[in-house]
Amino acid sequence: MTTKVSLNEIRLRNELLPGDLGYVAYLHGILYAKERGYGFNFEGYVLDGLGEFAHQYDATKDRIWVCEHEGKIIGFLMAFGREDSIQLRYFIFLPEYRGIGLGKKLMEEFISFMKERGVTRAYLWTTNEQEEAIGLYLRYGFRLTEEKKSDAFDKKLVERRYDLKIV
């Protein structure tokens, strides 16, 4: 991509369609292998979580944001309703769409969804290697609450939990 795409060219879709979750797994598998060196265990982890979501999906408590540009899926974010909170998962977009404000837009959409649902708590799991995403989470009020050493994704890293409480 030679010219930068503007944020207003990105369409956000909240309707979950057949093939979307498979594509999210594909994006995670290829991008995290290439950019972070994660292996098949990471892809299995993603597939397990997406399978759980697919079987429990409830449009009244869950939300997805499928980011599209020129008819192609270029990113994704999931809000997975849990008992008394919402889990933020599968926050990803293609590298050529980074730096245009899409991450901020998705975080604002996520927090608006929390408020719409009347939910005041959210959490997410990530790794110490996701510096850019962690910076964004912190700017939106998430706080580090747990760390654990892990080699679950076929390399040594630190898994981190971040929690958000809004009023």
Side-chain angles (χ1 to χ4, degrees), residues 78-93:
M78 173 192 297
F80 196 176
R82 299 299 189 171
E83 187 171 311
D84 61 350
S85 63
I86 298 175
Q87 185 178 9
L88 186 151
R89 298 194 84 177
Y90 310 113
F91 187 28
I92 192 168
F93 38 93

Side-chain angles (χ1 to χ4, degrees), residues 12-36:
L12 297 183
R13 170 170 54 85
N14 299 121
E15 179 187 8
L16 186 60
L17 299 175
D20 286 346
L21 298 180
Y23 190 72
V24 170
Y26 170 77
L27 276 181
H28 277 76
I30 62 167
L31 286 179
Y32 280 82
K34 179 180 179 184
E35 295 178 354
R36 305 291 184 192

Side-chain angles (χ1 to χ4, degrees), residues 61-127:
K61 64 181 186 113
D62 306 319
R63 172 118 356 129
I64 53 97
W65 292 269
V66 180
C67 308
E68 297 177 324
H69 181 243
E70 297 179 343
K72 174 184 169 188
I73 296 175
I74 57 94
F76 192 84
L77 176 64
M78 173 192 297
F80 196 176
R82 299 299 189 171
E83 187 171 311
D84 61 350
S85 63
I86 298 175
Q87 185 178 9
L88 186 151
R89 298 194 84 177
Y90 310 113
F91 187 28
I92 192 168
F93 38 93
L94 293 171
E96 57 266 34
Y97 294 91
R98 297 174 186 159
I100 63 169
L102 184 56
K104 292 176 190 167
K105 173 73 173 165
L106 291 170
M107 288 302 297
E108 289 165 7
E109 292 277 334
F110 180 85
I111 290 172
S112 290
F113 176 67
M114 286 180 66
K115 291 176 179 176
E116 173 188 314
R117 287 233 12 255
V119 177
T120 60
R121 295 178 25 200
Y123 71 95
L124 64 92
W125 280 96
T126 190
T127 70

